[in-house]
Amino acid sequence: MKRMLCVAAAASAALALASSTSAQAAPGTTPARACSLGTVDLKNPPLGYPVERINELAERLGLAQAPTGLGVGCDTALRTDPYSEIHPYSNAGPVVLRAGETARTQIYCTDSVAVLGNILDTAPVATLVVVGSDCVVQANPIII
């Protein structure tokens, strides 16, 4: 009986995840970037993360809304999903951010701005930092 409840709960959770991510899935033409120094959901940042600095950066770069996603070291272009090609990122607009091509999750932002530099003092060299707004964390369709 317990095993059936566990299976039912797992199936229900998987169905909920699939339905919630497909409703806001990134279109196949959305540029995707691999962020080697990591991605951060700014709606739930790690304790002590410099959110104020990121808010100031986003405002300075002209992001229309408050930032809700961040990628650091986003120097590599990726496919958005298993069926799409690699699309160029113009340093603004919709974007998908992943820690790598096979990361479990991704951050899809409907708007973003980017800057090349050592903005957050995370690396000894300049990297591409992408700040996004209206972002959602979702499962990576490459590995599903």
Side-chain angles (χ1 to χ4, degrees):
M1 182 70 169
K2 285 183 183 180
R3 183 175 180 184
M4 274 179 54
L5 287 175
C6 268
V7 170
S12 174
L15 182 61
L17 177 63
S19 65
S20 69
T21 57
S22 64
Q24 298 181 20
T29 57
T30 305
R33 305 297 291 186
C35 303
S36 60
L37 297 177
T39 61
V40 178
D41 175 12
L42 295 174
K43 291 180 272 185
N44 300 301
L47 190 60
Y49 208 77
V51 175
E52 278 305 311
R53 248 168 83 187
I54 296 162
N55 289 339
E56 291 168 7
L57 173 66
E59 187 176 335
R60 203 171 14 144
L61 294 174
L63 189 64
Q65 298 177 1
T68 54
L70 175 75
V72 181
C74 304
D75 302 321
T76 306
L78 300 172
R79 296 175 298 147
T80 305
D81 58 46
Y83 313 105
S84 68
E85 299 295 321
I86 293 176
H87 300 284
Y89 177 57
S90 64
N91 291 350
V95 69
V96 171
L97 305 171
R98 294 188 197 120
E101 185 164 20
T102 58
R104 291 177 159 262
T105 61
Q106 64 184 21
I107 299 176
Y108 168 52
C109 303
T110 59
D111 193 20
S112 70
V113 290
V115 64
L116 184 64
N118 193 0
I119 305 301
L120 301 174
D121 302 323
T122 55
V125 295
T127 62
L128 188 67
V129 176
V130 179
V131 184
S133 65
D134 195 23
C135 303
V136 291
V137 177
Q138 53 190 211
N140 180 353
I142 299 286
I143 62 168
I144 291 179

